[in-house]
Amino acid sequence: MKKYILIVSLFMMGLSRMEGQVDGGFNTVPVVNGKVVFEQFILTDQGLSANQKYATLQKWVKDKYSGSPLVSSVRFDDKNQSATVSAKTELTGVPGNTVMNYRFDLSVANAGCVLVVRDITYQSAPKQGTSSFPKTITAEQTITDQAVGAPGEEGQIRNSTRKATLSFLNSLYKEVSGLF
């Protein structure tokens, strides 16, 4: 009887861990070959074909991003059943009206959908008495573990930028996860 209870307990703990991984999202800043690249595989409804998933993806991208002044490009690749969106968003909770530029790719297959967010840069409004052009800073210089460790106010700004970025990416992940 004790073995049975132990086996059931271990099984339940394993299920709770699996559930947490499926709902994962983004909580760290991965660096791949010196670049910040966020990647997440999203399991999809196995009752849908890859073509149906791609049609759903296309509709969502068109509805959400077509005509937006914050979007610089939207591309579809019908052969590979993927979409690429280049856009920007104003990050909340970050001083200086910081705008994040980003690119994300979505690819569908029979088992699921892959979300990849890359080419992240940040721009903040120019400070009084300086150049009238905003300064662009890469994610590698801003939100990596090494960059966030900067001392003083700069480290605090980078940390809040990191938190705002992860929050935005998690909302994107959640929205895409809900499509299928």
Side-chain angles (χ1 to χ4, degrees):
M1 184 69 176
K2 288 182 181 180
K3 285 183 180 180
Y4 177 73
I5 293 173
L6 178 64
I7 290 171
V8 170
S9 298
L10 290 172
F11 180 71
M12 295 300 283
M13 287 188 321
L15 283 178
S16 67
R17 283 199 176 140
M18 285 175 55
E19 182 180 324
Q21 290 174 355
V22 170
D23 271 345
F26 304 104
N27 53 20
T28 61
V29 179
V31 179
V32 179
N33 294 327
K35 297 287 184 186
V36 171
V37 179
F38 294 92
E39 185 172 358
Q40 194 69 257
F41 182 78
I42 301 165
L43 291 173
T44 58
D45 180 1
Q46 296 307 298
L48 299 174
S49 70
N51 289 336
Q52 290 171 316
K53 293 172 192 175
Y54 183 56
T56 301
L57 173 76
Q58 282 182 309
K59 181 180 179 341
W60 176 76
V61 168
K62 287 176 184 175
D63 290 348
K64 183 163 178 84
Y65 294 100
S66 292
S68 171
L70 299 175
V71 175
S72 57
S73 73
V74 174
R75 291 185 304 269
F76 294 101
D77 182 346
D78 295 336
K79 181 179 176 188
N80 293 317
Q81 295 189 318
S82 65
T84 300
V85 177
S86 297
K88 60 184 171 182
T89 186
E90 187 169 335
L91 294 177
T92 55
V94 180
N97 297 329
T98 300
V99 173
M100 180 177 79
N101 299 295
Y102 61 98
R103 179 171 298 156
F104 72 88
D105 304 302
L106 290 165
S107 302
V108 295
N110 288 330
C113 176
V114 177
L115 168 64
V116 178
V117 184
R118 58 192 171 88
D119 300 336
I120 299 172
T121 59
Y122 302 94
Q123 291 179 324
S124 56
K127 294 179 181 175
Q128 197 83 359
T130 63
S131 170
S132 59
F133 295 105
K135 183 178 179 184
T136 301
I137 304 170
T138 65
E140 294 78 21
Q141 297 169 311
T142 311
I143 63 170
T144 61
D145 292 341
Q146 185 178 16
V148 171
E153 184 180 348
E154 187 65 29
Q156 292 172 350
I157 291 170
R158 291 176 185 183
N159 193 37
S160 63
T161 303
R162 178 184 177 132
K163 286 179 183 176
T165 299
L166 291 173
S167 176
F168 172 78
L169 294 177
N170 282 322
S171 67
L172 177 64
Y173 167 78
K174 186 176 181 180
E175 195 169 349
V176 172
S177 296
L179 292 175
F180 310 104

